[in-house]
Amino acid sequence: KGGICKQVLASEVKIGDEIELRAGMRVALDSEVISGKAFVDTSAITGESLPREVKNGDILLAGFVLKDGTLRAKASACESESALARISKLVELASTNKSPHERFISRFARVYTPVVVILAGLIAFILPFIFDEGFAAGGFEVWANRALIFLVISCPCALVISVPLAFFAGIGAASKSGILIRSSAVLSTLARSKSFIFDKTGTLTKGVFNLNLVCSDKLSDKDFIAHAAHATSSSNHPVAKSLGAAHAKMQPDCKLCGKYECSELSGLGVRAKSSSDELLAGNAKLMRDCSISDFEYNCWHEGSIIHLALNGRYKGHALLGDELKSGAKEMIEGLKNAGINTLMLTGDNEIAAKAVAKELGIDRFYAGLLPEQKLELLERELGGGVVAFVGDGINDAAALARADVGIAINAQDVAASAADVVIINSDIRALSKAFGIAKRSRGIAWENITFALGSKIVIMVLGVLGLAGIWAAVFADVGVSLLCVLNAIRAGRK
């Protein structure tokens, strides 16, 4: 502050304070770069092996390490709300929220333990009278020995240790790839998913729009973009940012002055007012809801369309093109090969949505939706098997929270808090990896349950019949536990 730089604890830094970062330093707080350029190692947080270049306006997460250069950044979160703090909270939740398999083992152990102790007592004190001549004939020593062998064999260590370990190993493998899973229960539920529902913009597409076409016979292209950029200047929506970039490219000397008082209309667009003008920029529904005169819409090009109205009169529309994320098509193909149904929900127009769904091979899609309509359609899908919803923005938070499994891609704040799974970077391919890890962890847990119970039951029967001695009992306890643990560790492979 005041041009003075001093070293302080991360807990003392407030949101908005400027911090200086030098080569070799680990970022302590989530922050936004305000000057400088450098390469940062993001592997601790995102799992990416290659350093990433950051510059003015880019986001730094706590845990990143500067490889070179010097940066000045502005703190965007306090220490308790940083990326590292959120990861720590997720780890704590993962250790307390048990999967159905773990809950089954806990309930099973509460019943199983007293039952086997009672059975061992029956073997030692009752069977000598049934199969021998009682204690006097030396039968007690034989059956007491068999009862002890029975107890050793029946020890449930293999189940109690290896089943939770399979899920913890899976959560660890996911975190190495930049995938944060809230708990082992979430991992188990994700493995049983039958349908994946996707948001479009920012999830399946990059959310970086390029201006392709302006259709207006009432304003020049330059004036149209200037009005649209002024109207949306206070919005963080990807379309608004793209319009601002197009305006800066067309008129680099003309800054967005902020003379308009802007209000965002969820799922519709933006209304901006000044002392003399009112601008509306958004979708066709906004134009109809506001009864804009002369509204005509006959554009059949593929892409996202933003309409503009000035003082109640329609001025035309602009066509914006969004790019698919790298790996999105392969991810959808992988899910479909695994028997997963895919559905896309978007607020974009029907033409743009249809083009994306067709290119990716998505089974069904719904376009022109408001956030509450997305939630209604999600509710309709629930009940037909486990449903996972994949989104990235604040407008997806309700759907992320309502779905059986909410998955946030490169999300911050509200969306990340509402999600059960957070993919820190924007690599959509991590979704297939998360699903694969979940399937593998759940499969290994069932393998351990089946193998442990099956082998113990067989050897217990042999022990009661006198066909299995103490070494067989040791194998049934320690050996089976070791084999199950080694099998569970396989879930930790990336």
Side-chain angles (χ1 to χ4, degrees):
K1 289 183 177 180
I4 300 173
C5 184
K6 64 177 182 178
Q7 188 172 355
V8 298
L9 295 173
S11 57
E12 297 176 13
V13 179
K14 298 180 177 64
I15 296 175
D17 286 353
E18 291 187 15
I19 55 179
E20 185 174 88
L21 302 165
R22 298 171 185 169
M25 291 179 65
R26 184 179 295 274
V27 180
L29 299 165
D30 294 356
S31 51
E32 181 181 347
V33 178
I34 56 177
S35 68
K37 183 185 292 187
F39 280 92
V40 294
D41 179 1
T42 68
S43 58
I45 302 297
T46 67
E48 295 177 7
S49 57
L50 294 176
R52 181 196 301 174
E53 185 181 25
V54 294
K55 54 187 183 300
N56 188 25
D58 288 342
I59 300 297
L60 296 172
L61 297 180
F64 286 4
V65 178
L66 259 67
K67 304 292 287 184
D68 60 5
T70 301
L71 297 173
R72 290 186 72 84
K74 182 168 63 177
S76 58
C78 58
E79 186 183 31
S80 61
E81 297 298 327
S82 68
L84 280 176
R86 291 197 298 270
I87 291 171
S88 298
K89 290 175 185 175
L90 287 172
V91 171
E92 289 176 13
L93 285 169
S95 63
T96 57
N97 197 356
K98 295 182 178 181
S99 71
H101 300 76
E102 293 174 89
R103 291 196 296 270
F104 162 75
I105 293 301
S106 297
R107 292 194 302 268
F108 177 78
R110 283 198 296 267
V111 176
Y112 175 81
T113 301
V115 167
V116 295
V117 170
I118 292 170
L119 288 176
L122 293 175
I123 293 169
F125 296 104
I126 302 300
L127 294 190
F129 292 96
I130 298 175
F131 295 102
D132 289 313
E133 296 180 2
F135 295 162
F140 173 72
E141 182 178 347
V142 173
W143 288 101
N145 183 59
R146 293 184 185 182
L148 292 173
I149 289 173
F150 179 86
L151 278 176
V152 173
I153 296 169
S154 65
C155 182
C157 292
L159 292 172
V160 174
I161 296 172
S162 66
V163 172
L165 181 59
F167 289 102
F168 289 149
I171 291 172
S175 66
K176 292 176 186 176
S177 300
I179 305 163
L180 301 181
I181 298 175
R182 194 173 292 275
S183 68
S184 53
V186 170
L187 194 67
S188 178
T189 305
L190 177 61
R192 296 184 285 113
S193 296
K194 298 298 181 184
S195 300
F196 272 69
I197 300 177
F198 296 89
D199 172 51
K200 182 178 79 68
T201 305
T203 302
L204 295 172
T205 64
K206 293 180 179 179
V208 179
F209 293 84
N210 300 312
L211 180 63
N212 293 340
L213 183 69
V214 173
C215 299
S216 175
D217 56 3
K218 299 171 184 177
L219 294 173
S220 66
D221 289 4
K222 185 184 292 188
D223 288 341
F224 183 98
I225 294 301
H227 279 92
H230 276 93
T232 59
S233 59
S234 65
S235 174
N236 287 321
H237 194 279
V239 169
K241 292 180 179 179
S242 302
L243 289 170
H247 175 263
K249 188 175 181 181
M250 287 183 171
Q251 303 182 62
D253 299 327
C254 180
K255 303 298 181 184
L256 297 175
C257 59
K259 67 178 181 178
Y260 289 94
E261 183 181 336
C262 303
S263 57
E264 198 157 348
L265 308 172
S266 181
L268 297 173
V270 174
R271 174 185 280 115
K273 291 182 179 180
S274 69
S275 57
S276 57
D277 295 318
E278 181 184 65
L279 289 169
L280 290 172
N283 57 26
K285 191 175 189 304
L286 175 64
M287 299 294 114
R288 295 191 187 99
D289 288 354
C290 295
S291 303
I292 299 302
S293 61
D294 303 326
F295 173 59
E296 294 180 5
Y297 172 43
N298 296 310
C299 182
W300 301 107
H301 295 282
E302 292 182 355
S304 298
I305 293 170
I306 182 165
H307 299 275
L308 180 70
L310 175 61
N311 297 326
R313 300 190 67 84
Y314 186 62
K315 297 300 180 182
H317 61 268
L319 184 72
L320 301 166
D322 193 5
E323 295 180 40
L324 291 177
K325 281 187 177 179
S326 175
K329 190 170 185 178
E330 293 82 350
M331 180 273 298
I332 294 293
E333 287 177 354
L335 291 177
K336 292 182 74 173
N337 289 337
I340 299 296
N341 298 314
T342 54
L343 173 64
M344 184 179 74
L345 308 179
T346 178
D348 211 341
N349 66 80
E350 178 108 6
I351 298 172
K354 185 176 182 179
V356 171
K358 183 178 179 181
E359 187 169 354
L360 292 178
I362 291 174
D363 297 325
R364 293 177 292 146
F365 73 92
Y366 294 92
L369 301 174
L370 299 174
E372 57 267 26
Q373 291 173 318
K374 289 184 181 180
L375 192 58
E376 288 173 9
L377 286 167
L378 171 62
E379 295 272 7
R380 209 184 294 172
E381 295 294 320
L382 294 172
V386 176
V387 175
F389 182 87
V390 188
D392 73 311
I394 292 175
N395 63 326
D396 298 322
L400 288 168
R402 180 65 187 89
D404 294 316
V405 181
I407 304 173
I409 304 283
N410 197 28
Q412 302 293 325
D413 303 327
V414 178
S417 299
D420 301 302
V421 179
V422 179
I423 297 175
I424 296 176
N425 54 47
S426 58
D427 187 358
I428 193 70
R429 288 169 294 193
L431 183 59
S432 299
K433 185 175 289 186
F435 183 64
I437 290 172
K439 294 281 285 186
R440 185 170 70 233
S441 299
R442 185 170 183 266
I444 288 173
W446 274 115
E447 288 173 7
N448 285 345
I449 291 172
T450 304
F451 174 69
L453 288 178
S455 58
K456 283 180 177 293
I457 290 171
V458 170
I459 299 175
M460 277 193 287
V461 171
L462 294 176
V464 173
L465 296 177
L467 301 176
I470 191 63
W471 287 112
V474 170
F475 169 77
D477 180 19
V478 180
V480 169
S481 297
L482 182 60
L483 290 174
C484 287
V485 166
L486 292 174
N487 190 42
I489 291 173
R490 291 194 302 115
R493 295 181 305 177
K494 284 181 66 175

